[in-house]
Amino acid sequence: AWNRPAWPYVTVLSFGLTLLIADVSTIPSIQALQISRQAGIQMQRLRANDGFQLGAVGYIEPSLVFYARGHVRLFSSPAEVLQTVPFNRSGSPSITIHRRYCIVADRQAMKYFAAHHVQYFVWDWFNGVDVADGRAVRITLLTNVDPWPKTRNAALPATGPSKPAPESSFFPAGMT
């Protein structure tokens, strides 16, 4: 029993310590893995500061609801969003919207909104990896009312980015 080599134990212990260090320090700092956290914090700020109601369609992660501190309505489809959330539509008379919503939408939901001529304001967007599925994902925070009504130029269209597109160093060309 005393003549066993010590290297297997040292190797296993070193490997375990390396995994612990990576799990605690390296992995949490990767921005592409934190899209739910980033979006949830933005949503929580909109709810706390401006009284927005929160929702998600297409990208439904429990961590998103956690970081937004709950109060997130999970929509089953983009059609359900359009039935619930008051949006102005292109070509229709503009209406005054009293219920303010911030919705997290994935690419498919954004395509659906574009096909149905929904007017929305982009608050922010995030590129990253859906940890549960291991796939590249882009989520958009959109609102049904102008988040900056006093600072917007009246000549700018409602639908479209409200800030410059971020440069993505994580995804190769064509993945975003």
Side-chain angles (χ1 to χ4, degrees):
W2 292 102
N3 292 332
R4 291 185 184 159
W7 67 265
Y9 302 108
V10 172
T11 303
V12 169
L13 183 62
S14 298
F15 182 70
L17 186 60
T18 302
L19 288 178
L20 179 66
I21 290 170
D23 190 46
V24 171
S25 64
T26 306
I27 293 174
S29 65
I30 299 173
Q31 291 294 318
L33 298 177
Q34 297 183 11
I35 58 174
S36 289
R37 180 179 153 273
Q38 295 167 345
I41 289 171
Q42 290 289 336
M43 292 173 72
Q44 194 277 330
R45 286 182 186 153
L46 282 171
R47 182 176 177 274
N49 296 337
D50 299 320
F52 278 82
Q53 295 178 33
L54 308 178
V57 62
Y59 181 81
I60 298 175
E61 288 285 326
S63 57
L64 176 71
V65 176
F66 172 78
Y67 285 115
R69 303 221 175 132
H71 309 289
V72 178
R73 179 169 178 181
L74 304 177
F75 294 100
S76 60
S77 69
E80 183 184 358
V81 173
L82 294 184
Q83 290 173 352
T84 306
V85 179
F87 283 103
N88 283 325
R89 305 281 178 111
S90 294
S92 65
S94 182
I95 59 170
T96 302
I97 297 175
H98 298 288
R99 293 184 318 187
R100 300 161 56 117
Y101 277 86
C102 174
I103 305 291
V104 171
D106 66 351
R107 287 182 182 157
Q108 286 77 24
M110 296 302 290
K111 288 177 185 176
Y112 183 89
F113 296 148
H116 287 80
H117 308 288
V118 175
Q119 291 183 345
Y120 55 83
F121 297 89
V122 173
W123 177 263
D124 209 345
W125 56 85
F126 307 97
N127 292 318
V129 176
D130 186 352
V131 179
D133 295 336
R135 63 182 172 85
V137 67
R138 178 185 175 114
I139 59 174
T140 305
L141 280 178
L142 58 97
T143 63
N144 64 334
V145 296
D146 191 349
W148 302 284
K150 295 179 179 76
T151 59
R152 181 171 301 280
N153 181 345
L156 293 176
T159 303
S162 53
K163 68 175 194 173
E167 294 296 324
S168 175
S169 59
F170 181 77
F171 293 106
M175 276 191 77
T176 56

